[in-house]
Amino acid sequence: DRTDVHASPRCSCKMGSDVVIAPVLVIEPMAARHIDVIRAIDARCYSSPWGVATWRTELAEKTRHHVVARRGDEILGHAGILVILDEVHVTTVAIHPDHQSGGLATQLVLHLLDHARSIGGASATLEVRASARRTQRLYARFGFQPAGARKSYYSAPVDDAIVMWLHDLQTPGVGQRLDLIRHEIGAAAEGELL
């Protein structure tokens, strides 16, 4: 279950110029060997990151699906879901601060929703900090809608959680939205390579 996001970079350079081709972005299943790097990313992204024991439990559970995004040997971020019957709960999406705002979170969420659809997921939910407007816009792009709030859900700093839901994952409309986002990612990648 591996995704090569930029599978075939093309060169449009002039003859005689130097060419630098960035390594392909790969999204692949998280493994125990990734835990230390993931914890280092989480320490930069979360006020209460998960410990080693929690990560080992997460990776052992069949109801979890965690992936990492890497270029070459460098892990740039990770994401995961919990599956309960036909509901999918996005439990984590974290991008190393040095690699944020480059579309990696979009690619990881797209992967999670593709996976959710492939296993028959009917709906997806998540919590996001009330103060994290940019993150809320990311999820809204996929069709997640606010459905409620959890008062003082987060600590350090204390913040409410906005509960968001995306229903009807199996419908053509959701599939078309995901395809559009996939197309936009591809077009952006082409622009980087030209």
Side-chain angles (χ1 to χ4, degrees):
D1 193 38
R2 181 181 130 162
T3 304
D4 293 341
V5 177
H6 301 122
S8 57
R10 291 182 285 172
C11 175
S12 62
C13 60
K14 305 282 189 263
M15 292 299 291
S17 64
D18 292 335
V19 177
V20 177
I21 298 177
V24 171
L25 178 69
V26 175
I27 298 174
E28 65 186 7
M30 186 186 296
R33 71 179 181 279
H34 298 127
I35 291 174
D36 289 340
V37 175
I38 294 311
R39 291 193 68 237
I41 291 171
D42 286 355
R44 305 267 317 263
C45 297
Y46 297 128
S47 59
S48 300
W50 292 347
V52 172
T54 300
W55 274 115
R56 290 192 187 285
T57 300
E58 285 288 311
L59 295 176
E61 290 288 334
K62 294 192 183 314
T63 58
R64 300 336 192 250
H65 176 73
H66 288 277
V67 295
V68 296
R70 68 173 174 82
R71 281 201 176 96
D73 293 332
E74 184 182 12
I75 303 295
L76 309 175
H78 67 93
I81 56 174
L82 161 64
V83 180
I84 302 172
L85 301 173
D86 64 351
E87 290 183 2
V88 174
H89 187 143
V90 177
T91 56
T92 184
V93 176
I95 307 298
H96 189 286
D98 293 346
H99 301 285
Q100 291 178 0
S101 299
L104 290 174
T106 299
Q107 293 176 56
L108 285 168
V109 173
L110 178 63
H111 173 88
L112 293 179
L113 293 177
D114 282 343
H115 179 76
R117 285 171 51 91
S118 76
I119 62 170
S123 59
T125 188
L126 54 87
E127 294 90 11
V128 60
R129 282 183 176 271
S131 61
R133 302 283 189 222
R134 190 174 93 189
T135 307
Q136 291 173 42
R137 285 192 301 274
L138 164 73
Y139 295 128
R141 179 178 181 196
F142 285 93
F144 282 89
Q145 297 294 318
R150 300 186 199 282
K151 193 83 174 142
S152 302
Y153 183 79
Y154 295 103
S155 60
V158 173
D159 198 359
D160 296 343
I162 303 299
V163 179
M164 300 181 81
W165 279 91
L166 172 58
H167 295 287
D168 305 319
L169 279 175
Q170 298 300 323
T171 63
V174 171
Q176 290 166 355
R177 182 185 294 262
L178 298 182
D179 286 343
L180 176 62
I181 293 169
R182 194 178 341 277
H183 174 75
E184 291 168 350
I185 291 170
E190 289 294 316
E192 288 175 11
L193 298 173
L194 297 178

